[in-house]
């Protein structure tokens, strides 16, 4: 199985190792960007909840719905 993952019996290919390192770095960069965007989204959600129109409605003084 390991031979299949590394390619042929001749050992690891330097181009493949280089590509694997590049892809690992890309994954790390994308994970960092995802964490940044999640934090930004959480902050925006908190601000939106704070200024929500629905939160400003007083439920005790609501008007009856028209039927």
């Amino acid at each position: 199985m390991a031979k299949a993952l590394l390619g042929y019996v001749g050992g690891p290919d330097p181009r493949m190792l280089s590509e694997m390192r590049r892809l690992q770095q890309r994954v790390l960069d994308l994970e960092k960007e995802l964490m940044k965007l999640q934090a930004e989204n959480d902050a925006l959600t908190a601000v939106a909840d704070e200024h929500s129109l629905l939160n400003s409605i007083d439920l005790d003084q609501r008007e009856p719905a028209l039927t």
Side-chain angles (χ1 to χ4, degrees):
M1 176 80 176
K3 289 180 186 177
L5 292 174
L6 291 176
Y8 52 91
V9 180
D13 182 9
R15 293 172 295 174
M16 186 176 64
L17 292 175
S18 173
E19 179 71 5
M20 187 170 35
R21 281 193 291 274
R22 185 186 71 79
L23 291 173
Q24 287 172 338
Q25 184 60 48
R26 180 71 174 139
V27 167
L28 291 174
D29 293 343
L30 289 172
E31 287 173 341
K32 260 179 25 179
E33 185 176 352
L34 176 65
M35 290 178 68
K36 184 188 92 167
L37 290 173
Q38 284 176 334
E40 185 179 328
N41 188 44
D42 291 344
L44 289 172
T45 301
V47 169
D49 286 345
E50 200 173 286
H51 298 298
S52 175
L53 181 61
L54 294 176
N55 290 340
S56 66
I57 297 173
D58 185 12
L59 296 178
D60 295 330
Q61 296 183 5
R62 60 185 171 188
E63 296 180 15
L66 298 176
T67 57

